[in-house]
């Protein structure tokens, strides 16, 4: 079976699949890919089930080597990827494009550099990584010490991932199968540093003071360096303060939190909760990010700016169902 060696994991490389559901009752996070769209497109092009795991690489600078030929696709943030062959000069590199399958031959090294835009790159393979499942998922949640290769640990230098190949097998030369094609050009995601994000208002939205809601929807917020897979912290030079909320922050009862929930802190700054969020929260919530924009959140880097705009839950439900149907989720 083909094997992929982690030469360098870069800043952070994690095994992620669709996530771990039905575990909040145990105090565990959902986990799963931060950019579901990038993950699903790669698995679909490679003709895999979308439930297969990918390697999620944060901010590039990772290296992988094939011990046997492997068909790979990179999606998400474009890291100027290149392949170095042991048979060629050290300076000779073959550039690799995102969103297209390619073959990493035996002994070749795949190098990911700093992404042009976005934050997370997904390395997906034809077939599936041979991984143990923990509570129905291989997703790595470091804070819960679950998933991945061992006890929720990130990938380390020297780790080896074995791949169970898809059936039927590839051709004798192990070249990328001709039936695999790149995704439609219109489906390739872009990751600008300024984005508008759709917000579905929650039942608590109307309890905010009008001054607060106006500020929330009219201002551009900046992504903090304290953001991670748990949540995105936002700041603004004109961030609303507690005195504008019209709320007594001490009377809130903690409740379950959905992915994409937008909490408003005591200081009035929003926090968007993501895949590795805690299971309960006591801040008031302005709403939840529309499903079709969740993937954008996974690609926001510190310094990026977003502005919220309200959307309709009925419209967003149709969009979400269409996505689920297309990728057989």
């Amino acid at each position: 079976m083909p094997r992929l060696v982690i030469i360098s994991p870069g800043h952070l490389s994690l095994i992620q699949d669709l996530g771990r559901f039905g575990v909040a009752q145990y105090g565990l996070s959902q986990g799963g890919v931060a950019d579901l769209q990038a993950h699903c497109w790669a698995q679909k092009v490679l003709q895999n089930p979308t439930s297969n795991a990918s390697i999620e690489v944060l901010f590039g600078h990772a290296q992988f080597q094939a011990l046997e030929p492997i068909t790979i696709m990179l999606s998400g943030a474009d890291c100027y990827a290149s392949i170095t062959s042991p048979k060629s000069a050290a300076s000779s590199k073959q550039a690799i494009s995102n969103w297209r399958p390619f073959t990493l031959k035996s002994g070749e090294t795949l190098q990911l550099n700093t992404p042009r835009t976005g934050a997370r790159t997904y390395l997906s393979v034809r077939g599936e990584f041979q991984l143990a499942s923990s509570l129905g998922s291989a997703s790595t949640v470091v804070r819960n010490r679950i998933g991945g290769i061992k006890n929720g640990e990130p990938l380390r230098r020297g780790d080896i991932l074995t791949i169970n190949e898809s059936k039927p097998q590839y051709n004798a030369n192990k070249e990328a199968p001709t039936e695999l094609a790149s995704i439609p050009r219109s489906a390739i995601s872009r990751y600008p540093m300024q984005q508008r994000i759709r917000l579905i208002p929650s039942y608590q939205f109307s309890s905010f003071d009008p001054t607060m809601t106006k500020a929330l929807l009219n201002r551009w917020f900046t992504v903090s360096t304290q953001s991670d897979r748990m949540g995105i912290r936002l700041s603004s030079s004109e961030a609303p303060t507690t005195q504008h909320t019209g709320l007594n922050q001490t009377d809130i009862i903690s409740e379950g939190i959905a992915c994409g929930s937008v909490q408003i802190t005591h200081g009035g700054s929003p926090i968007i909760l993501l895949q590795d969020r805690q299971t309960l929260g006591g801040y008031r919530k302005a709403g939840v990010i529309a499903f079709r924009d969740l993937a954008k959140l996974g690609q926001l880097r510190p310094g990026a700016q977003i502005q919220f705009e309200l959307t309709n839950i009925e419209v967003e439900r149709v969009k979400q169902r269409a996505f689920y149907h297309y990728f057989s989720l």
Side-chain angles (χ1 to χ4, degrees), residues 167-204:
K167 305 295 183 182
Q169 298 291 332
Y170 310 154
N171 57 53
N173 295 324
K174 297 288 185 178
E175 296 294 333
T178 56
E179 70 269 17
L180 300 185
S182 57
I183 73 171
R185 204 167 187 66
S186 59
I188 295 177
S189 299
R190 310 295 178 191
Y191 310 114
M193 288 292 282
Q194 277 197 333
Q195 298 200 54
R196 285 184 169 82
I197 304 294
R198 300 172 185 88
L199 175 70
I200 303 172
S202 70
Y203 74 96
Q204 294 174 348

XYZ file of all heavy atoms in Angstrom, residues 167-204:
310
model
N -10.670 1.037 -5.267
C -10.874 -0.047 -6.221
C -11.778 0.465 -7.350
O -12.741 1.166 -7.095
C -11.524 -1.250 -5.546
C -10.758 -1.768 -4.323
C -9.400 -2.328 -4.686
C -8.702 -2.902 -3.446
N -7.372 -3.417 -3.750
N -11.500 0.131 -8.631
C -10.367 -0.674 -9.079
C -9.044 0.079 -8.984
O -9.031 1.295 -8.871
C -10.718 -0.971 -10.539
C -11.547 0.199 -10.950
C -12.352 0.589 -9.744
N -7.944 -0.673 -9.083
C -6.627 -0.075 -8.969
C -6.348 0.823 -10.163
O -6.995 0.757 -11.202
C -5.564 -1.181 -8.889
C -5.717 -2.089 -7.678
C -5.396 -1.370 -6.384
O -4.596 -0.432 -6.381
N -6.022 -1.784 -5.299
N -5.323 1.665 -10.028
C -4.915 2.546 -11.118
C -4.210 1.741 -12.207
O -3.983 0.546 -12.066
C -3.939 3.623 -10.626
C -4.396 4.368 -9.397
C -3.457 4.941 -8.541
C -5.747 4.494 -9.085
C -3.871 5.618 -7.410
C -6.159 5.174 -7.961
C -5.216 5.729 -7.125
O -5.613 6.405 -6.013
N -3.819 2.426 -13.252
C -3.109 1.735 -14.325
C -1.711 1.311 -13.862
O -1.221 1.725 -12.810
C -3.018 2.637 -15.571
C -2.330 3.954 -15.256
O -1.246 3.970 -14.716
N -2.978 5.056 -15.594
N -1.057 0.484 -14.658
C 0.204 -0.124 -14.245
C 1.287 0.903 -13.943
O 2.139 0.694 -13.083
C 0.692 -1.090 -15.336
N 1.290 2.026 -14.650
C 2.319 3.042 -14.452
C 2.024 3.962 -13.280
O 2.799 4.859 -12.965
C 2.477 3.887 -15.725
C 3.002 3.053 -16.870
O 3.816 2.156 -16.670
N 2.516 3.342 -18.077
N 0.851 3.781 -12.638
C 0.458 4.575 -11.480
C 0.361 6.059 -11.800
O 0.567 6.908 -10.957
C 1.447 4.373 -10.319
C 1.499 2.959 -9.783
C 0.238 2.631 -9.004
C 0.319 1.270 -8.354
N -0.861 0.948 -7.547
N 0.057 6.390 -13.015
C -0.148 7.796 -13.353
C -1.530 8.218 -12.893
O -2.407 7.388 -12.661
C -0.020 7.996 -14.870
C 1.362 7.695 -15.428
C 2.417 8.650 -14.937
O 2.052 9.791 -14.603
O 3.596 8.259 -14.872
N -1.736 9.522 -12.766
C -3.048 10.005 -12.350
C -4.086 9.524 -13.344
O -3.929 9.702 -14.559
C -3.053 11.534 -12.289
N -5.161 8.878 -12.894
C -6.171 8.342 -13.805
C -6.752 9.431 -14.708
O -7.006 10.540 -14.257
C -7.242 7.807 -12.845
C -6.514 7.563 -11.563
C -5.472 8.624 -11.495
N -6.951 9.085 -15.967
C -7.438 10.072 -16.923
C -8.857 10.518 -16.616
O -9.274 11.591 -17.036
C -7.389 9.497 -18.354
O -8.148 8.274 -18.375
C -5.959 9.207 -18.762
N -9.630 9.692 -15.862
C -11.005 10.083 -15.592
C -11.104 11.161 -14.519
O -12.155 11.736 -14.298
C -11.834 8.861 -15.168
C -11.502 8.296 -13.785
C -10.447 7.212 -13.852
O -9.759 7.136 -14.890
O -10.319 6.444 -12.886
N -9.993 11.432 -13.815
C -9.996 12.481 -12.808
C -9.772 13.824 -13.495
O -8.869 13.988 -14.295
C -8.901 12.241 -11.765
C -8.986 10.926 -10.965
C -7.910 10.911 -9.899
C -10.356 10.756 -10.342
N -10.582 14.796 -13.156
C -10.478 16.113 -13.794
C -10.528 17.193 -12.730
O -10.939 16.956 -11.597
C -11.610 16.309 -14.798
N -10.067 18.380 -13.093
C -10.132 19.506 -12.161
C -11.574 19.968 -12.021
O -12.428 19.665 -12.851
C -9.257 20.647 -12.664
O -9.665 21.036 -13.960
N -11.849 20.709 -10.969
C -13.206 21.171 -10.711
C -13.553 22.321 -11.660
O -12.663 22.941 -12.255
C -13.376 21.614 -9.248
C -12.672 22.957 -9.001
C -12.849 20.575 -8.293
C -12.978 23.536 -7.653
N -14.843 22.648 -11.823
C -15.223 23.787 -12.671
C -14.553 25.065 -12.193
O -14.411 25.295 -10.984
C -16.743 23.857 -12.483
C -17.149 22.489 -12.069
C -16.015 21.948 -11.254
N -14.135 25.864 -13.126
C -13.443 27.123 -12.798
C -14.290 27.997 -11.881
O -13.777 28.660 -10.971
C -13.147 27.866 -14.101
C -11.992 28.845 -14.040
C -11.623 29.247 -15.461
N -10.450 30.051 -15.578
C -9.212 29.675 -15.302
N -8.997 28.497 -14.810
N -8.195 30.479 -15.501
N -15.596 27.991 -12.093
C -16.495 28.835 -11.304
C -16.581 28.390 -9.845
O -17.012 29.152 -8.984
C -17.896 28.827 -11.912
O -18.419 27.504 -11.951
N -16.163 27.153 -9.562
C -16.263 26.617 -8.202
C -14.991 26.831 -7.393
O -14.969 26.550 -6.193
C -16.602 25.130 -8.248
N -13.933 27.324 -8.030
C -12.670 27.545 -7.317
C -12.813 28.733 -6.387
O -13.161 29.838 -6.816
C -11.515 27.769 -8.307
C -11.284 26.499 -9.132
C -10.240 28.160 -7.570
C -10.215 26.628 -10.184
N -12.547 28.528 -5.124
C -12.739 29.568 -4.109
C -11.637 30.615 -4.175
O -10.487 30.324 -4.494
C -12.760 28.949 -2.712
O -13.824 28.035 -2.579
N -12.006 31.847 -3.839
C -11.056 32.955 -3.700
C -11.109 33.404 -2.242
O -12.126 33.301 -1.591
C -11.428 34.122 -4.626
C -11.692 33.727 -6.075
C -10.460 33.179 -6.761
N -10.734 32.766 -8.145
C -9.901 32.069 -8.883
N -8.736 31.694 -8.393
N -10.223 31.713 -10.116
N -10.005 33.929 -1.765
C -9.940 34.302 -0.358
C -9.428 35.738 -0.186
O -8.307 35.960 0.285
C -9.035 33.329 0.403
C -9.376 31.881 0.134
C -8.480 31.044 -0.545
C -10.594 31.347 0.531
C -8.792 29.717 -0.791
C -10.915 30.019 0.281
C -10.012 29.215 -0.385
O -10.333 27.903 -0.635
N -10.253 36.726 -0.536
C -9.838 38.123 -0.379
C -9.713 38.511 1.093
O -10.293 37.855 1.971
C -10.977 38.902 -1.062
C -12.161 37.995 -0.960
C -11.619 36.605 -1.085
N -8.984 39.575 1.362
C -8.765 40.029 2.740
C -9.949 40.833 3.281
O -9.976 41.174 4.459
C -7.484 40.852 2.825
C -6.217 40.024 2.698
S -5.949 38.929 4.125
C -5.316 40.087 5.333
N -10.898 41.158 2.425
C -12.137 41.815 2.868
C -13.319 41.015 2.339
O -13.405 40.767 1.132
C -12.217 43.253 2.365
C -11.462 44.260 3.218
C -11.913 45.692 2.933
O -12.371 46.009 1.841
N -11.773 46.563 3.909
N -14.209 40.602 3.234
C -15.343 39.792 2.819
C -16.590 40.166 3.609
O -16.507 40.546 4.778
C -15.055 38.298 3.048
C -13.895 37.751 2.259
C -13.952 36.244 2.149
O -14.942 35.662 1.712
N -12.867 35.595 2.541
N -17.727 40.009 2.943
C -19.011 40.150 3.627
C -19.517 38.753 3.967
O -19.516 37.867 3.120
C -20.014 40.909 2.754
C -19.712 42.408 2.705
C -20.782 43.182 1.918
N -20.613 44.605 2.105
C -19.745 45.365 1.441
N -18.964 44.806 0.526
N -19.647 46.659 1.681
N -19.927 38.582 5.205
C -20.341 37.284 5.716
C -21.818 37.345 6.112
O -22.233 38.242 6.852
C -19.494 36.880 6.946
C -17.999 36.882 6.599
C -19.931 35.523 7.486
C -17.592 35.845 5.592
N -22.594 36.388 5.618
C -24.039 36.374 5.879
C -24.339 35.861 7.282
O -23.814 34.837 7.709
C -24.761 35.520 4.834
C -24.575 36.017 3.407
C -25.138 35.022 2.408
N -24.881 35.406 1.039
C -23.785 35.075 0.362
N -22.849 34.347 0.935
N -23.616 35.460 -0.888
N -25.226 36.585 7.970
C -25.598 36.254 9.343
C -27.093 35.970 9.430
O -27.914 36.791 9.008
C -25.243 37.421 10.273
C -25.672 37.301 11.735
C -24.844 36.229 12.437
C -25.536 38.644 12.452
N -27.453 34.786 9.944
C -28.857 34.462 10.211
C -29.150 34.887 11.650
O -28.549 34.349 12.579
C -29.118 32.954 10.061
C -28.727 32.482 8.659
C -30.576 32.627 10.346
C -28.761 30.971 8.492
N -30.013 35.868 11.862
C -30.263 36.345 13.229
C -30.892 35.263 14.104
O -31.731 34.496 13.655
C -31.212 37.524 13.029
C -31.845 37.299 11.694
C -30.825 36.582 10.864
N -30.449 35.198 15.353
C -30.974 34.220 16.303
C -32.160 34.814 17.068
O -32.515 35.987 16.900
C -29.892 33.812 17.298
O -29.615 34.897 18.174
N -32.734 34.009 17.952
C -33.865 34.494 18.738
C -33.436 35.586 19.716
O -34.268 36.359 20.204
C -34.521 33.335 19.497
C -33.742 32.816 20.679
C -34.019 33.270 21.973
C -32.737 31.875 20.510
C -33.305 32.800 23.059
C -32.022 31.397 21.586
C -32.298 31.858 22.872
O -31.591 31.382 23.942
N -32.130 35.706 19.972
C -31.637 36.743 20.882
C -31.320 38.045 20.160
O -31.070 39.064 20.799
C -30.378 36.238 21.598
C -30.641 35.073 22.539
C -29.365 34.495 23.126
O -28.260 34.806 22.679
N -29.511 33.646 24.129
